[in-house]
Amino acid sequence: MELHSGSLDTKEIFGRWLDEQAKSNYGAYIPFVGTIRAEDGIEALSFDIYEPILQKWFDEWQERAKVLGAVVKMAHSVGDVPVHTSSYVSAVFSPRRRVALELIDEFVEDFKANAPIWKYDVKNGERIYAEDRSTPMDGAGLLK
Amino acid sequence: MELHSGSLDTKEIFGRWLDEQAKSNYGAYIPFVGTIRAEDGIEALSFDIYEPILQKWFDEWQERAKVLGAVVKMAHSVGDVPVHTSSYVSAVFSPRRRVALELIDEFVEDFKANAPIWKYDVKNGERIYAEDRSTPMDGAGLLK
Amino acid sequence: MIKVEFLGPIGKTPMEIEATTLADVAVKLKEEQELGAWLDKCAVALNDTMVNDLTTVLKDGDKISILPPVCGG
Amino acid sequence: MIKVEFLGPIGKTPMEIEATTLADVAVKLKEEQELGAWLDKCAVALNDTMVNDLTTVLKDGDKISILPPVCGG
């Protein structure tokens, strides 16, 4: 897992992960690249991350992947990321395509639901919490 | 759709497709990279392709993707591809992640089932049809 | 005349035959011993479009392609 | 003492409270008016591990994190 300040260098990450696994004999490599869409007049999105819990979340996914003979990877931006640049890359390597296709779907969906990352719209230099697009994590409401 | 003689330059393809869509405002980009696994003592896999029907198959997928507001891409090798190098890259670009995750799965699975491509193991320089791993296409047996 | 070509691993040289429907083509190809193991698992294209109906009518100059089991990727 | 920290957009400075279970923490936090809109949609971590049980027993020096709705990617 890697966190970067600002936009991700997607090509560098794609190539580096490919090279790292070049001799691992995985038949399928599926990256997911998330790019900031220009919409609602935003200039950028901005991200807060709570790293200790994100790391635990990611470590559990590595264990899940390992049981399937697969590997997961993840990179995310911290701070402002301008529109048309990327804030998120995750990936699965697996010997077989079915495992890889199913795992990337589950990994990305669980990331959206449970990774401790908060998103803000940046408009006129102001940071506005993207509350309408945010999801309460599993177990939310415990203290209500 | 692009066909290349021998191994694919995966990084070049990933980056070029990313650049082509840099201003298209797609939020999700999911490439699938297929790499030749070292197994059963093969040196390489080798591929025959019948391009006119592959092109039609791909054009139909482009239409299907368009209806969903998405784009599909594909690159494949012709001829010999040594182990640990890549023979196949396909990708989906979509505004939204759910469409992209579902489309890459369907696109890759239909590719495996219906793209007119024949695979051969290369052992001791000899080309042996990979019959046990091949799938009859939709409609097979019409003339039996 | 109808041209019939055999793709990928079949390794048979193209044939020219007389036929007015795909059913006629089936009859002709079943006479070819070396195709015995192939026909029940091969799909068929007419002028590079996949076809599924034996009653399909053919015209002079048509091209039939015989496609054995595939494995791209 | 138990430290309570509020992550992401909540924007509240950390608190130090006395509590022996998570249920005690709930009672204390409900007294904080500015948390009114947050508690029903926030998840909770104890020493950086997600927790789901109000009877969870706390000890001196524990850290509670309050996690509002997320949206990575």
Side-chain angles (χ1 to χ4, degrees):
Chain A
M1 191 189 88
E2 48 192 275
L3 303 181
H4 298 266
S5 179
S7 306
L8 299 181
D9 183 346
T10 309
K11 292 176 195 174
E12 186 276 330
I13 292 167
F14 173 86
R16 178 162 41 82
W17 291 352
L18 186 77
D19 291 342
E20 280 171 16
Q21 303 295 334
K23 301 292 173 195
S24 310
N25 214 26
Y26 291 122
Y29 170 27
I30 310 181
F32 177 104
V33 179
T35 297
I36 310 295
R37 303 188 68 213
E39 56 188 352
D40 302 326
I42 62 165
E43 296 143 26
L45 292 178
S46 191
F47 297 91
D48 286 343
I49 294 186
Y50 186 60
E51 191 168 350
I53 292 177
L54 182 61
Q55 187 66 56
K56 282 192 183 178
W57 174 88
F58 181 75
D59 291 346
E60 281 169 26
W61 265 100
Q62 277 196 305
E63 289 304 312
R64 264 178 86 167
K66 203 173 177 182
V67 171
L68 299 166
V71 164
V72 290
K73 308 244 187 196
M74 198 199 107
H76 203 285
S77 298
V78 179
D80 290 9
V81 183
V83 296
H84 297 321
T85 68
S86 298
S87 53
Y88 172 50
V89 186
S90 61
V92 172
F93 287 87
S94 154
R96 303 279 168 207
R97 80 173 183 285
R98 269 319 316 155
V99 166
L101 285 165
E102 285 162 25
L103 204 56
I104 191 69
D105 191 323
E106 292 168 35
F107 183 49
V108 169
E109 290 298 326
D110 191 51
F111 170 83
K112 294 298 284 189
N114 286 304
I117 302 181
W118 297 279
K119 179 182 280 179
Y120 305 81
D121 290 334
V122 179
K123 286 185 182 179
N124 306 314
E126 217 188 327
R127 215 167 176 247
I128 307 148
Y129 175 48
E131 188 174 358
D132 56 324
R133 281 161 285 151
S134 299
T135 311
M137 298 170 77
D138 289 350
L142 183 68
L143 302 185
K144 80 178 171 207
Chain B
M1 191 189 89
E2 48 192 275
L3 304 181
H4 297 266
S5 178
S7 306
L8 299 181
D9 183 346
T10 309
K11 293 177 194 174
E12 186 277 330
I13 291 168
F14 172 87
R16 178 161 44 81
W17 290 352
L18 185 77
D19 290 343
E20 280 171 17
Q21 303 295 334
K23 301 293 172 193
S24 311
N25 215 25
Y26 291 121
Y29 171 26
I30 312 182
F32 177 103
V33 179
T35 297
I36 310 296
R37 302 188 68 212
E39 55 187 354
D40 301 326
I42 63 165
E43 296 142 27
L45 292 178
S46 190
F47 298 91
D48 286 344
I49 295 186
Y50 186 60
E51 190 167 352
I53 291 178
L54 182 61
Q55 187 66 55
K56 283 193 182 177
W57 174 88
F58 181 75
D59 291 346
E60 281 168 27
W61 264 100
Q62 276 196 306
E63 288 305 311
R64 265 178 85 166
K66 204 173 176 179
V67 171
L68 300 166
V71 164
V72 290
K73 308 245 187 194
M74 198 199 108
H76 204 286
S77 298
V78 179
D80 288 9
V81 183
V83 295
H84 298 319
T85 68
S86 297
S87 54
Y88 172 49
V89 186
S90 61
V92 171
F93 287 87
S94 156
R96 303 281 168 203
R97 80 172 184 285
R98 271 315 320 154
V99 167
L101 285 164
E102 285 162 25
L103 204 55
I104 191 69
D105 191 323
E106 291 168 35
F107 183 49
V108 168
E109 289 299 326
D110 191 50
F111 170 84
K112 294 298 285 188
N114 286 304
I117 302 180
W118 297 279
K119 179 182 281 179
Y120 305 81
D121 291 333
V122 179
K123 287 185 183 180
N124 305 315
E126 217 189 328
R127 215 167 175 248
I128 307 148
Y129 176 47
E131 190 174 358
D132 55 324
R133 280 159 286 152
S134 298
T135 311
M137 298 171 77
D138 289 349
L142 183 67
L143 302 184
K144 80 178 171 206
Chain C
M1 292 292 266
I2 308 297
K3 187 173 182 186
V4 185
E5 56 178 29
F6 303 92
L7 300 179
I10 303 179
K12 181 173 165 60
T13 48
M15 296 168 63
E16 301 243 312
I17 61 174
E18 296 288 351
T20 53
T21 65
L22 277 180
D24 296 342
V25 176
V27 170
K28 291 272 165 62
L29 294 189
K30 275 186 269 197
E31 292 167 5
E32 302 288 314
Q33 278 206 332
E34 61 196 295
L35 292 177
W38 288 110
L39 288 182
D40 65 340
K41 53 193 176 189
C42 283
V44 182
L46 168 59
N47 301 327
D48 295 333
T49 297
M50 304 303 294
V51 285
N52 269 302
D53 185 349
L54 278 180
T55 67
T56 304
V57 174
L58 306 175
K59 61 179 192 307
D60 191 47
D62 277 349
K63 181 182 73 170
I64 302 284
S65 306
I66 307 298
L67 297 99
V70 296
C71 188
Chain D
M1 294 291 267
I2 307 297
K3 188 173 182 187
V4 184
E5 56 178 30
F6 303 92
L7 300 179
I10 304 179
K12 183 173 164 61
T13 48
M15 295 167 65
E16 302 243 312
I17 62 173
E18 297 287 352
T20 51
T21 65
L22 277 179
D24 295 343
V25 176
V27 170
K28 290 270 164 61
L29 294 188
K30 276 186 267 196
E31 291 166 5
E32 302 287 314
Q33 279 206 331
E34 61 195 294
L35 292 178
W38 288 110
L39 289 183
D40 66 340
K41 54 192 175 190
C42 283
V44 181
L46 169 58
N47 301 329
D48 296 333
T49 298
M50 304 304 293
V51 284
N52 269 301
D53 185 350
L54 278 180
T55 66
T56 304
V57 174
L58 306 176
K59 62 179 193 305
D60 191 47
D62 276 351
K63 182 180 73 171
I64 302 285
S65 305
I66 307 298
L67 297 99
V70 295
C71 188

